Amino acid sequence: MQLPVAQSWYSVQRIDDGLRLILEDHVDPAWRCNIWHVSGRDKDILVDSGMGVVPLKSEIALLRERPVACLATHCHYDHVGGQHEFDERLSHAAEAGIMAAPSRANTVADLFVTEELFSALPPQGLDIAGYNVSPAAPTRTVAEGDIVDLGDRAFEVLHLPGHSPGCIALWEAASGTLFSGDIVYDGELFDTLYHSDIDSYIASLERLRALPVTVVHGGHFTSFGSARLLELIDFNLQRWQRR
Ligand SMILES: [Zn+2]
Ligand SMILES: [Zn+2]
């Protein structure tokens, strides 16, 4: 199959004054990650960075104009491909080693990156079989309870392992906003990857159950509110109880 060549790779959707959603237009919507851009007074934060197939900064002026810290919710290829473009990179210590030395196996690219993932190729081409994330060790590791401060907005880091050992979420208590990465989103959760752990995953979802959430912006698919969060948590907890 010959894939067409894309004219542009990313689209940017404005969610509100302080939040934009960046998407990789030619990666299958069932698999591409949500790249969240949060604007702050002193600096911005990018929650995840996509596959890195096309440089983010070359297409998106927003990312060149102001200081941006790039936070990785976890080390999987769909979330960390653009990290190397940013001078400030935050992630959990449990996956720092993978980000410094990514492979197709340790980022799970070998399971998912095939020609079927794409509807077009970038103008500069793409070696799909040879695809790998560029190495980019975190410049700062973050842990449970750390605050990511943007000046006028502050996000608390929640360490919620299970999908992978270093999964982190960002929680803004003032607005009830949760950026949840792949810990929970409105779709099938993955608990069988090489470093997944279901007991940890159960504990993590039980923690989220107690959080007074207004809106959840996940690592994939559409955002949702507290009622849907509880449905998703309970569905998965019951599924795991039947193991
Ligand atoms: Zn993942
Ligand atoms: Zn993902």
Side-chain angles (χ1 to χ4, degrees):
M1 188 175 68
Q2 191 70 32
L3 290 170
V5 175
Q7 297 305 304
S8 65
W9 198 255
Y10 299 102
S11 60
V12 182
Q13 296 174 19
R14 182 187 173 283
I15 308 296
D16 61 36
D17 278 348
L19 181 63
R20 287 174 178 80
L21 172 59
I22 301 169
L23 292 171
E24 296 154 294
D25 285 340
H26 306 288
V27 179
D28 187 335
W31 297 102
R32 70 183 171 197
C33 109
N34 291 327
I35 305 170
W36 296 105
H37 178 273
V38 184
S39 307
R41 187 192 65 205
D42 299 340
K43 67 174 172 183
D44 301 341
I45 190 159
L46 197 67
V47 181
D48 291 329
S49 57
M51 290 184 66
V53 165
V54 171
L56 282 157
K57 285 186 180 177
S58 65
E59 277 202 25
I60 303 172
L62 186 68
L63 302 177
R64 299 191 297 265
E65 292 163 349
R66 285 169 48 81
V68 184
C70 184
L71 177 135
T73 60
H74 64 303
C75 70
H76 294 156
Y77 77 93
D78 46 331
H79 298 261
V80 296
Q83 275 201 109
H84 65 99
E85 294 183 56
F86 297 89
D87 294 335
E88 185 178 5
R89 301 182 296 275
L90 312 178
S91 63
H92 193 272
E95 295 178 13
I98 294 171
M99 303 199 200
S103 69
R104 288 175 57 87
N106 67 19
T107 66
V108 304
D110 56 354
L111 300 180
F112 300 105
V113 181
T114 62
E115 193 169 292
E116 288 69 49
L117 190 60
F118 301 95
S119 59
L121 294 176
Q124 69 271 35
L126 175 65
D127 172 13
I128 294 172
Y131 166 85
N132 196 8
V133 170
S134 297
T139 56
R140 174 158 77 98
T141 56
V142 288
E144 171 68 29
D146 284 357
I147 301 296
V148 177
D149 189 355
L150 306 186
D152 56 344
R153 308 184 68 172
F155 293 86
E156 182 183 350
V157 173
L158 308 180
H159 180 213
L160 298 165
H163 174 72
S164 69
C167 271
I168 50 175
L170 284 185
W171 167 239
E172 186 181 42
S175 65
T177 302
L178 181 74
F179 291 95
S180 61
D182 282 4
I183 300 152
V184 64
Y185 47 69
D186 199 348
E188 183 190 347
L189 302 184
F190 280 77
D191 55 38
T192 56
L193 301 168
Y194 74 96
H195 53 182
S196 299
D197 180 76
I198 291 179
D199 289 333
S200 304
Y201 217 150
I202 289 170
S204 291
L205 290 192
E206 282 175 344
R207 276 191 69 194
L208 287 183
R209 216 180 187 294
L211 217 56
V213 155
T214 304
V215 63
V216 181
H217 300 302
H220 297 269
F221 308 118
T222 52
S223 300
F224 51 92
S226 61
R228 183 63 180 150
L229 175 63
L230 294 182
E231 280 178 9
L232 291 164
I233 289 172
D234 288 345
F235 172 81
N236 284 286
L237 291 178
Q238 284 164 20
R239 180 167 72 87
W240 289 323
Q241 265 169 16
R242 293 193 298 266
R243 279 180 292 166

